[in-house]
Amino acid sequence: MKNILKRSLQLILMIPFFFSAVSAQSQNISGDWEGTLSVGVDLRIVFHFTKNADGVLSGTMDSPDQKVKGILLSNVTESGDSIIAKLQMIQAEFRGTKINDSTIKGAWLQGSGNFPLLLTRQKLEIEKKALRPQTPVPPFTYNSDDVIYYNADSTIQYGATITYPKTGGPFMVAMLITGSGQQDRDETIFDHKPFAVIADYLTKNGFAVLRVDDRGKGQTTGKFAGSTSADFTNDVLAGIQYLSARKDIDKNKIGVIGHSEGGLIAPMVYTKWPHLAFIVSLAGTGVTGAEILLRQQTDPLKSLVNDSAYHSFYDLTKYTLETIRDNPNTPDSVVLDKIKKYYSDWKNKTPGNILEELHANTASAENYAAQVSVELKPWLKYFITTDPATFWSKVKCPVLALDGEKDIQVYAEQNIPAIQSALAKAGNKKVTIKIFPGLNHLFQHCTKCTVVEYGELTETISPEVLETISNWLHQTIQ
């Protein structure tokens, strides 16, 4: 069932910003733990548990045999000898019991699968954290205030940082919208803090910037699990109302800068509050999540299997995603029944050598459906079924849409033309498009241009991207 596990791990990779908010009372679980997961083939799994100065546990997971590193755990808990490490976005978790200081006996749970997993403590050399030279550090040459505000009915508290020049005003302001996954206000990933870097650069160039913790993260309350982009749109609107009430903000020059999923949320905000002065889309989406995931889940297979196996897997994945996309209001059980039937038919007509190459020869329709069920969770289902063009086609404010040529998560050639086409339908002529050669999804200059490389690079965000945003704002928003 390697293909099933691989499909789920790819769901992690398509979400670049998935962060941990964890707590425990652990005294000695900190460290590196390794075990072997047998799922038809043997896959090494490595957990790295750490504890901060406040005693809060967090962690990451590696799958070395799949060349996956640094997957952030969504939750780590320890109660007595019991340890639970969860990976929320793929609905997987490790549950174990500490046998002694060097052994944890447990199981990997995912979908309907329950696989034994014995972890042993590793005495690995601690790697030095890569320098992040662009991360701003105080003292700042501008004002930086941590603030709290609430939504209209005070059911959610938002923790945020607003930066603004020390003199002048009222200021044009950009509210930053994070990408997918539960993130802090700096959009921290692999020790990179891209939103802190953007805020620092723009504020030094005369703009105010608001960046906000996501629901359930940092100082923001509210429930993240079960929320969708539509809910996050309302969170942005609460931030806009907060900005509108500040005397040092120009109420006619409030705009948004959204990265990845934030680039989808930006036009959704406009449809609810058409007074936005501008939208900057950083690797935002222009096509449905079904189309994006089809490439994310099948492109990596091209170099691993022969053409026949690739096309067979492509057809299966395409049907699966399109079935979810085309049935947004159909009960999940009915959708899964359609997918199980198709899988059974697909397996019956697929030659045995291809099934074996895809490691699908031992995977039943129930196994496949259990993995697909992850894609029916609220956020991912909304992403798969939502067409961004519905919102982009209503946007009439100035738009700057940027992407990296080497982006393997939101493909420039797939999404930028779709955004352009939708904006043309809106009659919007105030549109600037730029695709940067050699940049990845985080707008870093990349070499391998893989997701794992995000953490290996010292650059947080390309200086020319920062300059492009600042210059465009100065020239376009009067």
Side-chain angles (χ1 to χ4, degrees), residues 313-346:
F313 181 74
Y314 182 94
D315 290 343
L316 173 63
T317 306
K318 184 172 186 288
Y319 177 86
T320 299
L321 291 168
E322 289 182 350
T323 299
I324 297 172
R325 181 197 66 192
D326 296 341
N327 293 276
N329 301 314
T330 303
D332 291 350
S333 60
V334 175
V335 173
L336 287 175
D337 284 343
K338 290 176 182 285
I339 291 171
K340 283 191 287 187
K341 182 180 185 309
Y342 184 88
Y343 178 85
S344 296
D345 293 342
W346 171 84

Side-chain angles (χ1 to χ4, degrees), residues 21 29 37 79 83 109 119 142 198 210 439 472:
I29 189 178
L37 188 64
S79 177
I83 296 161
L109 309 176
L119 300 179
Y142 49 81
I198 292 172
L210 180 71
L439 300 191
W472 181 82

Side-chain angles (χ1 to χ4, degrees), residues 76-340:
V76 181
T77 58
E78 182 182 20
S79 177
D81 292 331
S82 175
I83 296 161
I84 301 174
K86 294 185 177 183
L87 294 93
Q88 181 181 354
M89 293 306 295
I90 62 166
Q91 297 297 299
E93 62 183 64
F94 170 75
R95 288 178 172 265
T97 301
K98 195 160 43 178
I99 305 302
N100 51 49
D101 286 342
S102 60
T103 309
I104 301 174
K105 184 178 181 181
W108 175 273
L109 309 176
Q110 187 169 32
S112 60
N114 186 321
F115 308 98
L117 181 58
L118 184 71
L119 300 179
T120 57
R121 187 187 291 275
Q122 303 298 297
K123 295 181 179 178
L124 302 177
E125 182 181 351
I126 299 176
E127 297 179 358
K128 261 189 181 180
K129 283 189 178 180
L131 294 176
R132 302 292 184 245
Q134 289 174 285
T135 300
V137 293
F140 302 122
T141 58
Y142 49 81
N143 296 311
S144 178
D145 300 336
D146 290 337
V147 298
I148 296 290
Y149 59 90
Y150 299 85
N151 60 352
D153 59 7
S154 297
T155 55
I156 300 179
Q157 168 188 291
Y158 298 93
T161 298
I162 185 167
T163 54
Y164 53 100
K166 287 192 173 181
T167 59
F171 304 105
M172 182 192 310
V173 63
M175 182 174 179
L176 306 185
I177 312 174
T178 61
S180 52
Q182 190 180 33
Q183 303 172 56
D184 64 22
R185 66 192 70 183
D186 294 331
E187 205 182 49
T188 305
I189 178 172
F190 298 120
D191 294 321
H192 287 292
K193 298 181 180 295
F195 275 16
V197 174
I198 292 172
D200 178 74
Y201 188 92
L202 292 182
T203 307
K204 287 176 178 176
N205 281 274
F207 305 100
V209 180
L210 180 71
R211 58 192 201 270
V212 190
D213 293 328
D214 284 352
R215 292 185 177 201
K217 186 73 173 178
Q219 290 185 297
T220 297
T221 62
K223 186 178 179 182
F224 184 83
S227 299
T228 69
S229 300
D231 299 304
F232 304 142
T233 297
N234 291 330
D235 294 339
V236 176
L237 291 169
I240 290 173
Q241 292 307 308
Y242 163 75
L243 291 170
S244 299
R246 287 183 64 111
K247 294 181 179 179
D248 53 359
I249 295 300
D250 187 335
K251 297 167 185 56
N252 296 314
K253 294 183 180 179
I254 299 174
V256 294
I257 300 176
H259 179 240
S260 196
E261 183 195 4
L264 162 63
I265 293 171
M268 295 174 66
V269 170
Y270 181 92
T271 61
K272 290 194 168 188
W273 198 74
H275 309 293
L276 280 180
F278 61 86
I279 290 175
V280 178
S281 171
L282 301 176
T285 59
V287 298
T288 65
E291 295 169 79
I292 292 172
L293 290 182
L294 179 60
R295 286 196 60 175
Q296 288 182 351
Q297 293 179 4
T298 60
D299 276 11
L301 209 63
K302 288 180 180 178
S303 61
L304 301 176
V305 300
N306 64 41
D307 286 347
S308 296
Y310 165 75
H311 288 298
S312 182
F313 181 74
Y314 182 94
D315 290 343
L316 173 63
T317 306
K318 184 172 186 288
Y319 177 86
T320 299
L321 291 168
E322 289 182 350
T323 299
I324 297 172
R325 181 197 66 192
D326 296 341
N327 293 276
N329 301 314
T330 303
D332 291 350
S333 60
V334 175
V335 173
L336 287 175
D337 284 343
K338 290 176 182 285
I339 291 171
K340 283 191 287 187

